[in-house]
Amino acid sequence: MTLRNRSLYCIFVRNFGGSFSAVAEEIPRLKALGIDLIWLMPIHPIGTAKRKGSLGSPYAISDYRAVNPEFGTMDDFLALCDTIHQNGMRVLIDVVYNHTSPDSVLVKTHPAWFYHKPDGSFGNRIGDWTDIIDLDYSNRDLWDYQIDTLKMWARYVDGFRCDVAPLVPLAFWKQARAAVETVRPGCIWLAESVEGAFIRHCRDRGMTALSDSELYQAFDVCYDYDVYGDFMNYLEGRCPLEAYVAALNRQESIYPADYIKLRFTENHDRARTAFLFPDRTVRENWLAWTFFQKGLPMLYSGQEWAPSHRPTLFDADPVQREGEPMHEPLLKALIAMKKDPLFSDGVYTVEARPDDVIVSTWTDHDRRAVGIFSLKGKSAVVSVPLAEGAYTNLLTGKPLTVEYGYVHADDCPIVIVTKM
């Protein structure tokens, strides 16, 4: 399987049990769900200077080579990694290399490795990230330290999710990837790429700001923030579905042929899916569409329970997980579907149809998958590229009939896989 056939689950330890040991207890359940990859948000100690909230942001790291004692010991972390591996999954950790906390180990030992404002004081170039200070990659000794740190962690983990990767030089990422490969062949590299407006903002200020096309030279997967604005514009009624679909289709021509996008409807920086889509039917259509798209789908901590509250990064705020996870049956079907090679090797198309319906296909030499997603959760009669006859919805097991090139799509998402 390629990364396009896998599914990623993101965990912030503080708000998902509170310790490495508590997370380890969740791993068999996530394995049963079908998850392949676990991404742990930053596991390192957090600085105290200029801390936000009572506990601080996990992205204000004080020591890249240690674990946060609030979560447990290094042995506890390694035991968690062992549990993940024993369950046949791989683990990624967060790499936050643009900045550190103002009282980090490196500030004390290597102050020259940091960006300094004109008055000589430490600072950051974004401005509102008041609990961090920026590193300065013009110093090659910093490169050596950071790469040695990655090689240290690569002895235990299978990949890295790199925070605001565009703000760190591309040459560094290329060198880091080559070095880590000697320790962990096949290491997974996921870049938090950024919106076009943020790239332009940074470049206008003379900062490094890498586009997705540049990042694909060093990374396996990039965020789909390049289309997130189109997604939100559609949700808010500022553009039609056709504009959102056109943005998705542009990805097919502006990125490498083997590009992989991280597909999601929520993450720790964005509103929860259940907040955006309070209606369960609408939510499940978007969830299914996320998995059907070309790319690596991600679920964010507890998403299967459909919590509407996004936990804060700065205080203890446990993920809402009460009762049975309402989306678990659908997720199991979607994750199993995604493992089919058709969803990595086939030819992929996306079309906007009337009544806010997306029709998307995957086609190889002898099979075709057709996905029908009613993004407003309404019934519709939809034209589909299928011969007349009886079919089965892969996601529900319910029968469907195609007549004269049309299918009646009720309010649930539909995936049909058939021979050509």
Side-chain angles (χ1 to χ4, degrees):
M1 292 193 297
T2 73
L3 288 173
R4 287 181 184 168
N5 299 115
R6 301 185 187 277
S7 301
L8 173 69
Y9 196 95
C10 172
I11 292 174
F12 178 22
V13 175
R14 178 193 294 162
N15 291 334
F16 201 82
S19 69
F20 296 130
S21 298
V23 172
E25 294 176 2
E26 297 280 350
I27 298 305
R29 180 183 67 82
L30 295 175
K31 173 62 177 178
L33 192 60
I35 295 296
D36 306 286
L37 308 170
I38 301 293
W39 157 28
L40 301 174
M41 287 168 56
I43 59 166
H44 308 295
I46 296 169
T48 58
K50 298 186 178 180
R51 174 176 283 187
K52 291 183 177 180
S54 61
L55 296 175
S57 168
Y59 292 93
I61 291 170
S62 64
D63 188 351
Y64 291 125
R65 296 185 177 183
V67 299
N68 189 336
E70 298 171 22
F71 301 161
T73 65
M74 177 65 85
D75 286 342
D76 294 329
F77 171 72
L78 297 181
L80 170 58
C81 291
D82 287 343
T83 299
I84 293 170
H85 291 144
Q86 289 162 8
N87 279 271
M89 294 184 281
R90 302 169 79 181
V91 57
L92 290 74
I93 60 171
D94 232 312
V95 171
V96 187
Y97 270 10
N98 176 66
H99 49 260
T100 75
S101 69
D103 54 353
S104 70
V105 168
L106 294 186
V107 172
K108 299 168 186 174
T109 58
H110 298 286
W113 291 0
F114 286 82
Y115 162 75
H116 291 79
K117 294 186 289 187
D119 64 3
S121 63
F122 297 109
N124 76 76
R125 290 159 290 186
I126 298 302
D128 60 348
W129 298 351
T130 57
D131 58 343
I132 57 93
I133 57 175
D134 286 355
L135 289 160
D136 179 359
Y137 280 83
S138 67
N139 193 311
R140 289 299 179 122
D141 290 337
L142 172 62
W143 291 37
D144 294 338
Y145 181 91
Q146 300 289 61
I147 290 172
D148 286 345
T149 302
L150 289 170
K151 290 169 69 176
M152 182 198 93
W153 290 110
R155 299 202 304 267
Y156 315 116
V157 304
D158 307 286
F160 301 107
R161 178 269 186 189
C162 300
D163 187 65
V164 287
L167 303 189
V168 176
L170 179 61
F172 169 81
W173 291 125
K174 286 182 171 182
Q175 185 173 322
R177 178 168 186 146
V180 168
E181 193 69 12
T182 66
V183 177
R184 177 70 63 171
C187 182
I188 300 167
W189 292 83
L190 164 60
E192 186 200 21
S193 51
V194 298
E195 299 92 333
F198 187 66
I199 292 173
R200 292 192 298 271
H201 170 75
C202 293
R203 288 179 174 177
D204 289 348
R205 302 176 69 180
M207 297 169 58
T208 294
L210 304 173
S211 67
D212 288 27
S213 295
E214 291 170 299
L215 288 167
Y216 276 123
Q217 297 177 51
F219 288 87
D220 302 300
V221 187
C222 289
Y223 272 43
D224 67 352
Y225 276 156
D226 58 313
V227 297
Y228 193 86
D230 303 277
F231 163 69
M232 290 303 301
N233 284 339
Y234 167 66
L235 293 192
E236 296 172 15
R238 291 199 296 266
C239 74
L241 179 60
E242 288 80 2
Y244 169 55
V245 168
L248 290 170
N249 280 320
R250 279 194 295 274
Q251 293 177 331
E252 289 293 290
S253 59
I254 63 177
Y255 298 133
D258 60 350
Y259 81 95
I260 304 172
K261 279 287 180 177
L262 187 70
R263 305 296 186 182
F264 54 85
T265 51
E266 65 179 68
N267 62 45
H268 66 268
D269 286 324
R270 306 291 172 174
R272 283 284 198 175
T273 309
F275 176 84
L276 295 173
F277 310 110
D279 182 85
R280 177 171 178 170
T281 298
V282 175
R283 189 163 61 245
E284 293 201 335
N285 272 275
W286 279 99
L287 188 59
W289 168 231
T290 300
F291 276 77
F292 196 88
Q293 289 181 72
K294 179 185 286 188
L296 171 65
M298 182 190 78
L299 297 173
Y300 175 57
S301 285
Q303 188 173 346
E304 60 271 36
W305 274 271
S308 58
H309 165 66
R310 176 167 60 95
T312 176
L313 290 179
F314 312 123
D315 304 285
D317 192 3
V319 172
Q320 302 163 7
R321 295 184 292 166
E322 299 176 356
E324 294 298 316
M326 68 173 66
H327 294 313
E328 189 170 278
L330 175 61
L331 285 171
K332 284 185 175 180
L334 290 169
I335 293 169
M337 172 200 79
K338 196 70 174 176
K339 297 184 193 302
D340 187 327
L342 177 60
F343 291 90
S344 60
D345 302 335
V347 175
Y348 172 69
T349 69
V350 186
E351 295 182 20
R353 296 290 174 81
D355 301 312
D356 294 282
V357 173
I358 279 181
V359 174
S360 185
T361 65
W362 286 90
T363 308
D364 64 14
H365 63 282
D366 61 357
R367 289 191 303 151
R368 171 174 289 167
V370 179
I372 305 162
F373 310 99
S374 177
L375 301 184
K376 299 293 186 182
K378 299 177 182 178
S379 297
V381 176
V382 183
S383 63
V384 290
L386 293 169
E388 191 165 312
Y391 297 89
T392 300
N393 185 350
L394 183 70
L395 302 181
T396 64
K398 295 180 178 179
L400 295 163
T401 301
V402 175
E403 294 184 0
Y404 303 104
Y406 289 86
V407 65
H408 181 268
D410 58 16
D411 50 9
C412 67
I414 296 171
V415 173
I416 297 168
V417 179
T418 183
K419 292 184 178 180
M420 293 291 289

